[in-house]
Amino acid sequence: MTDTQQVQCVKCGKAGDVITEPLYLGRLEAEVKSKVCKNCWKAWEAMRVMVINEYQVNLGDESGRELVKNQMKAFLNLGQQPMDTSKLEQNYRPIQ
C-alpha cells in the first residue's frame, strides 16, 4: 500500500488528495495545487462549465478568461473578493 500525499484544502477545510495532473493555469497552478484538494478541484471543473454557460463567456477574449479565473478563485476560496454567484447557485447541482 502506498502513501498518498495530502493537502489541507482551503475550500472544504479537510485534508485531501493532492492534484497531480497538469492544470494549465500558469503561475496560479502552484497555488491551486498547494491549497486545494482533488475533490474540490473536480467540483470546480463542473462549476466552470456552468460559469462559462451562464455568463456566456467567450474564452477567446481576455476579459472572458479573467472572469472565469476570478470565479475559480472565489469558488476555491483563494483570497478572491466575493463575487455575485447568485445566478450560478440557483442552478448548481453537485456531482454525485
Side-chain angles (χ1 to χ4, degrees):
M1 191 164 138
T2 61
D3 285 330
T4 58
Q5 287 185 305
Q6 299 276 296
V7 63
Q8 186 64 35
C9 184
V10 295
K11 171 70 176 164
C12 67
K14 301 175 185 172
D17 292 338
V18 297
I19 302 165
T20 54
E21 62 272 359
L23 305 178
Y24 308 104
L25 296 175
R27 293 178 294 196
L28 191 55
E29 185 160 342
E31 181 182 6
V32 171
K33 286 184 172 184
S34 69
K35 295 181 178 180
V36 178
C37 72
K38 189 177 261 189
N39 287 340
C40 288
W41 179 255
K42 296 233 178 279
W44 161 248
E45 288 179 324
M47 179 62 88
R48 179 178 59 204
V49 172
M50 286 183 52
V51 167
I52 292 167
N53 291 337
E54 292 291 326
Y55 289 97
Q56 300 177 353
V57 175
N58 176 0
L59 293 175
D61 184 37
E62 179 63 35
S63 64
R65 291 189 300 273
E66 191 68 22
L67 181 136
V68 173
K69 181 172 81 172
N70 289 336
Q71 289 283 345
M72 176 193 73
K73 288 178 173 181
F75 181 81
L76 296 174
N77 298 334
L78 293 174
Q80 182 68 19
Q81 294 296 320
M83 298 186 75
D84 177 16
T85 57
S86 57
K87 191 177 195 183
L88 299 170
E89 290 165 359
Q90 294 171 14
N91 299 314
Y92 180 62
R93 304 289 179 270
I95 297 175
Q96 298 294 333

